[in-house]
Amino acid sequence: MRRLALFTLLISVLVLSAQSVLACGGNCGFNWNARPTTGMAPLSIFVGGETEGSGSEVRIDMGGEQLLEPAVEIYFDGSPCYGEGFHAVHQFYCPGTYTITVVDPAAPDWEPTTTTVTVLPPPRYSLSVFAENHEHEAYLATQLSTTQRQFSYSSVDWGDGTSEPFTYVPRGIYVGTPTHLYPADGEYTATVTHHYVGQYCSWEQTEAIVVKIPVPTVATNPSTWGHVKSMYR
């Protein structure tokens, strides 16, 4: 009996944490909501509500990306109303505005109802240029928090005709690209791109910075041997 009570309690907690609507509230009707309605990509959206009868035919169109058949739970709260609560979760990977539509063909006076969700890109990030051992060597660095975003992979275009995918590596108090050897003195525009690759869409976020070769020693990372050497040039 204790195990059954504990199991029932756990199920109740899980359902409530999912924000599923399990009570009719006295008046029969069909209602639902989507939360949150705005946020930073990639953004997970919870859709939940209640039907005025059997909700087995409820479908949720997630902005054209996916047609969901939501999970349902039968409820009865003692009112004349009975039906089913439903809920589903979808992740929007790309920035944009999406219209979510819920349809319930089983409802007597059914009409599709919609709500709009706005997905925003992450904030822009900054880049810095640091010298390395050779006067033509440099790397790009950024804050650790920038690299903790949910992009799929990153790449760097060095501005001299070469580019490469890379994985951020620790650079003192920063994280950065691998070291690059430029062919000659001059100014180059280097760009770092974060590639977001989702199931239904893909997008990129790119930041650029001018690299002056040789790199001024004041921009050198103090944690590198290159900084020590630059003090005696």
Side-chain angles (χ1 to χ4, degrees):
M1 181 63 70
R2 290 183 178 177
R3 290 185 177 180
L4 178 59
L6 178 59
F7 178 78
T8 302
L9 176 61
L10 290 175
I11 292 298
S12 299
V13 171
L14 289 173
V15 170
L16 288 174
S17 65
Q19 304 177 36
S20 142
V21 180
L22 301 180
C24 185
N27 295 321
C28 297
F30 174 77
N31 63 83
W32 64 278
N33 61 71
R35 292 290 184 273
T37 56
T38 186
M40 188 173 66
L43 181 64
S44 293
I45 301 295
F46 170 86
V47 181
E50 60 185 357
T51 70
E52 61 182 15
S54 173
S56 60
E57 296 184 50
V58 170
R59 298 294 182 269
I60 306 174
D61 183 347
M62 302 301 295
E65 289 192 348
Q66 188 178 17
L67 186 64
L68 297 177
E69 297 183 8
V72 297
E73 303 92 4
I74 298 176
Y75 66 81
F76 179 71
D77 63 354
S79 72
C81 173
Y82 70 92
E84 292 177 340
F86 64 91
H87 61 85
V89 176
H90 176 79
Q91 185 179 72
F92 289 111
Y93 213 75
C94 296
T97 300
Y98 301 88
T99 299
I100 301 175
T101 305
V102 172
V103 298
D104 183 16
D109 301 317
W110 164 73
E111 290 185 5
T113 55
T114 64
T115 193
T116 299
V117 171
T118 301
V119 183
L120 305 171
R124 296 185 61 178
Y125 52 94
S126 61
L127 298 175
S128 299
V129 181
F130 292 110
E132 264 289 14
N133 299 331
H134 189 278
E135 64 179 3
H136 284 171
E137 287 183 332
Y139 65 86
L140 308 181
T142 187
Q143 300 293 331
L144 175 62
S145 59
T146 300
T147 68
Q148 295 173 333
R149 302 176 180 185
Q150 298 182 50
F151 54 85
S152 303
Y153 68 97
S154 52
S155 63
V156 55
D157 185 329
W158 294 106
D160 60 357
T162 61
S163 60
E164 59 180 316
F166 73 94
T167 299
Y168 282 100
V169 295
R171 294 285 194 174
I173 63 173
Y174 301 101
V175 289
T177 67
T179 300
H180 180 68
L181 178 63
Y182 279 93
D185 291 357
E187 290 191 2
Y188 304 85
T189 300
T191 58
V192 169
T193 302
H194 291 171
H195 303 262
Y196 293 79
V197 182
Q199 182 178 359
Y200 302 101
C201 64
S202 301
W203 69 288
E204 299 174 351
Q205 187 174 39
T206 298
E207 297 293 344
I209 191 170
V210 174
V211 180
K212 296 180 179 180
I213 298 297
V215 179
T217 56
V218 293
T220 305
N221 188 338
S223 68
T224 64
W225 171 237
H227 173 71
V228 178
K229 293 175 63 178
S230 70
M231 295 173 61
Y232 300 96
R233 289 176 181 171

